[in-house]
Amino acid sequence: DLPFERLVEILNPARSMARHPLFQVMLAFQNVADPDLDLPGLTVRGEQVEGEVAKFDLSVSMGELHDENGAPAGLQGQLDYRTDLFAENTVRELADRVVHVLEAVTADPDARIRSVSAVGAEERHRILTDWNATARDVPHGTLPELFQAQVARTPDAVAVVSGTARLTYAELNARANRLARHLVACGAGPEKLVAIALPRSADLLVALFAVLKSGSGYVPVDPEYPADRIAYMLADAEPVLLLTEAATAALFPQDAATPQLQLDNPEVQQAVAGRDSADLSDGDRLSPLLPSHPAYVIYTSGSTGRPKGVMVEHRSVVNLASWAADGLGTDRLEEVCASTSLNFDVSVFEIIAPLLAGGRVRVIRDLLAFGDEAAGDTDRPLASGVPSVFSSLLDRAPAADAATVVMAGEAISPIVAKKIRSAFPTARMANCYGPTEATVYATSWYTDAEMPDAVPIGRPIANTRVYVLDAALSPVPVGVAGELYVAGAQLARGYLGRAGLTAERFVADPFAVVAGSRMYRTGDVVRWS
């Protein structure tokens, strides 16, 4: 009811030549009858005059149509848009969605608004089916079985390098088998857990594979964690053993209920050395080991409350390793720097993926030691880490070259992206995304060229599906922000001992072909590009 100029004067909004001062999008519904102008001797009708300049970023005008008898004959609409903000195909898609919604509500006027989707059948099929067509065949088996198959193929190849220590596949397998038999004698087995608190060395990988071969899942425990966090994790996970060394054991609470097995104890070393080095069969374990048994439990940071133990099964890790070999290529796994703490799930990728593909793992202190410790048998290894750590690495010292750089764990700023590309000009740059609840990585993106200003998180990896949904669990259109849900082969079993929280975050997948499938609600907001 106010003159527009007076409204602007009173509100006094910030002025900009780039936008309208009050709003950017207008919807006008023209439902006022045209005036009947009767002039003697003249036939008069209204003519639409098209303007050459858009007044707003986007304006939608809808008007009623009537037939010759004056009965309603539908609606007619027009979209005007700023050509420096919108592409024509984008506006056409918006118009198509408006038509789709109007057709849906007129076909069923009693439908609830939240049940009406702006996504048409063709687009729905594209984002739910075509873009999730990730089915791939992967080996069936447990991690020990697949590792032992690789040992048989390349027994004399170097599997682990740590400082001056080198272990071939056959040596790593034999040492892990001996320790695994000792762990079984101490009560380790399927559906049980063994905690690991060891310094970064070749012995750490021996212990990890020994736990897996025993049938147990491993629980990494950082001795530098606060004492109350360590006590909580051990009490919550209830591991049958804590594998450690004398120096590290001194950092743990002495009243902990978990039995410790100190691997540098001479008596323990003598007992382990006396064990058989042959591969374990199901008869050597407390019960048969299946792909559905836990491979590890990693505790989240606890930023939303008490730390939560995420339980991941063998088959999920097998799928991850299979994707790495096919997606990245086995040549990219020839040498991988294991720089991530065992307490973070990226370590699973850095250790398991190369060792199931015939590559070698170079254990280094952390990513900041890449320039000092990465040079070795392969001039250009694979390095992985969070972008901010890569940035710190490049600030501190010149890095060794890398054939592949895998970034994950946080968004990449344009400055950091260009900085990493400048440091590794010929490397393949990969940006991967995935919560711990989806076994390390759920999506991936690669480039061998320049890094874009906005680095995407890519497409779903093998046997993984991703959905971008609204609050009603309906797919949102391309370009519209929604919550990311992850489904498929790499979903964790759930949170250890927390059935309620598991049911809250791992929900039924309404788009799955197989009944009973689940999807994980990440809480992250994304959009399809």
Side-chain angles (χ1 to χ4, degrees), residues 162-196:
S162 179
T164 58
R166 300 166 70 89
L167 293 177
T168 65
Y169 273 83
E171 292 168 340
L172 174 60
N173 191 53
R175 289 185 57 183
N177 284 335
R178 292 191 185 96
L179 180 55
R181 293 178 186 278
H182 191 73
L183 297 179
V184 172
C186 294
E191 294 296 333
K192 297 180 182 295
L193 299 173
V194 173
I196 298 179

Side-chain angles (χ1 to χ4, degrees), residues 466-489:
V466 295
Y467 312 123
V468 185
L469 308 179
D470 61 18
L473 298 185
S474 294
V476 298
V478 172
V480 175
E483 186 172 353
L484 177 61
Y485 288 75
V486 179

Side-chain angles (χ1 to χ4, degrees), residues 25 219 420 474 508:
V25 179
V219 182
I420 296 175
S474 294

Side-chain angles (χ1 to χ4, degrees), residues 317-329:
V317 185
V318 169
N319 190 83
L320 173 74
S322 179
W323 159 79
D326 293 338
L328 292 175

Side-chain angles (χ1 to χ4, degrees), residues 7-58:
L7 185 62
V8 173
E9 177 184 343
I10 294 172
L11 295 178
N12 193 27
R15 301 302 205 275
S16 171
M17 294 297 291
R19 65 181 186 276
H20 189 280
L22 295 183
F23 55 86
Q24 287 76 52
V25 179
M26 169 180 270
L27 169 64
F29 184 55
Q30 309 293 351
N31 61 344
V32 178
D34 291 333
D36 185 9
L37 186 60
D38 186 9
L39 298 177
L42 297 177
T43 300
V44 182
R45 69 173 185 271
E47 288 288 344
Q48 182 73 26
V49 178
E50 303 290 344
E52 295 295 326
V53 178
K55 296 180 180 179
F56 312 106
D57 292 357
L58 182 70

Side-chain angles (χ1 to χ4, degrees), residues 210-268:
V211 173
L212 293 173
K213 284 171 170 286
S214 75
S216 289
Y218 69 88
V219 182
V221 179
D222 190 338
E224 296 185 2
Y225 279 161
D228 59 343
R229 180 184 173 102
I230 293 175
Y232 168 77
M233 291 172 58
L234 294 178
D236 186 65
E238 297 181 335
V240 295
L241 285 172
L242 170 62
L243 299 187
T244 185
E245 294 181 349
T248 305
L251 302 175
F252 283 91
Q254 297 304 306
D255 57 350
T258 305
Q260 292 186 7
L261 186 67
Q262 297 182 14
L263 298 183
D264 56 351
N265 183 298
E267 295 181 0
V268 173

Side-chain angles (χ1 to χ4, degrees), residues 105-120:
V105 297
T106 52
D108 184 8
D110 295 325
R112 292 180 179 271
I113 291 177
R114 67 182 298 174
S115 70
V116 179
S117 174
V119 178

